Amino acid sequence: MAERMGLRERKKRDTSLRIWRIAIGLFVERSFDEVPVTEIAEAAGVSKMTVFNYFGTKEDLVLKPMEEHAGDLAHTVRERSPGESAVAAVHRHFLEQLAAREASIGMDPDPLNLRVRELILGTPALLTRTYAWSARSTRLLADELIAEADRERGGTGEAVAQCVAMQIAAARTALTNEIHRRRSEGKSVDEIYPSMVALAQEVFGLVEYGLGEYAIRR
């Protein structure tokens, strides 16, 4: 039974990935708005209903893999070790993602990873939804910080938690944007890895230790 379930899950995963790759290829070639779902289904060798069973909407064909990571920041902070700050936990996790060449931060060497980002930036509907996803990710992190503060310190105020969450999320977003920028210039993930490790130290360091010494006018 376990083996059959394993095979079934792998088949579903492979089908989902095939549909996604075909959809992205067509969207990049002709634009998101110009490609109907029926054409994607035909190219993937499945029915239109099957496409919607795997991806609830046309936008999901692009954004679902990314949106599955909305809770990553909150999860990382929730599962951190005793004595580790929230910022340090996200920093550590980001370094792990860099080393693993994870697609969620743009480190996948597959050129399709870059095409997805370009597609989102060039499609208003996708870009708007991406902003909403980012806000949700930050909100989930803030909720985790609020819940922890209530449990352990009697609360520190929602505004403080939101401020911290926004700074942590912004640091990670800035680093991810920099990865995509360098990849768009033709640099490989292996080329940018050492400098991104160093940059992560600098960026998360600003959040960890404050901005008091940054941008003092000379």
Side-chain angles (χ1 to χ4, degrees):
M1 181 64 179
E3 290 180 358
R4 288 199 300 272
M5 284 297 292
L7 179 61
R8 187 179 303 121
E9 290 305 312
R10 287 196 298 273
K11 184 177 180 180
K12 289 174 62 177
R13 180 199 62 196
D14 292 345
T15 299
S16 176
L17 181 59
R18 184 175 76 255
I19 294 171
W20 179 80
R21 293 185 68 88
I22 288 171
I24 296 301
L26 290 171
F27 291 152
V28 169
E29 180 182 344
R30 301 216 314 274
S31 88
F32 178 80
D33 294 325
E34 294 299 320
V35 180
V37 175
T38 51
E39 183 177 345
I40 295 168
E42 183 178 350
V46 299
S47 68
K48 181 179 178 180
M49 183 61 68
T50 297
V51 173
F52 284 123
N53 284 339
Y54 282 95
F55 302 89
T57 67
K58 186 178 179 182
E59 288 79 10
D60 285 341
L61 282 161
V62 179
L63 299 176
K64 184 179 179 181
M66 177 187 75
E67 292 181 340
E68 290 175 348
H69 293 275
D72 281 4
L73 291 175
H75 176 78
T76 298
V77 169
R78 185 184 312 119
E79 299 299 321
R80 73 191 188 281
S81 302
E84 186 177 39
S85 73
V87 180
V90 175
H91 182 189
R92 169 183 50 76
H93 184 243
F94 186 80
L95 293 179
E96 293 169 354
Q97 291 178 304
L98 282 175
R101 307 296 195 263
E102 283 199 15
S104 62
I105 61 169
M107 285 294 284
D108 190 334
D110 188 340
L112 202 61
N113 189 261
L114 283 176
R115 303 288 84 78
V116 171
R117 180 176 174 81
E118 293 167 0
L119 178 64
I120 291 172
L121 293 176
T123 309
L126 297 177
L127 190 58
T128 297
R129 184 161 151 179
T130 300
Y131 287 138
W133 168 85
S134 180
R136 179 170 178 265
S137 178
T138 303
R139 180 70 249 183
L140 290 172
L141 176 56
D143 288 344
E144 179 60 33
L145 294 171
I146 291 168
E148 182 177 296
D150 289 342
R151 288 194 305 269
E152 300 181 5
R153 297 183 293 279
T156 58
E158 185 168 337
V160 173
Q162 286 181 342
C163 178
V164 172
M166 291 174 71
Q167 289 186 62
I168 292 174
R172 190 179 184 278
T173 298
L175 290 166
T176 301
N177 287 344
E178 180 63 13
I179 289 171
H180 284 290
R181 186 187 70 79
R182 296 184 187 189
R183 294 280 287 118
S184 296
E185 292 177 347
K187 297 178 181 177
S188 71
V189 293
D190 291 334
E191 284 180 297
I192 69 174
Y193 173 73
S195 59
M196 286 308 306
V197 169
L199 185 59
Q201 178 67 43
E202 180 179 356
V203 170
F204 282 113
L206 285 172
V207 181
E208 182 80 62
Y209 302 111
L211 303 176
E213 296 300 318
Y214 178 76
I216 296 176
R217 180 160 291 176
R218 305 300 180 187

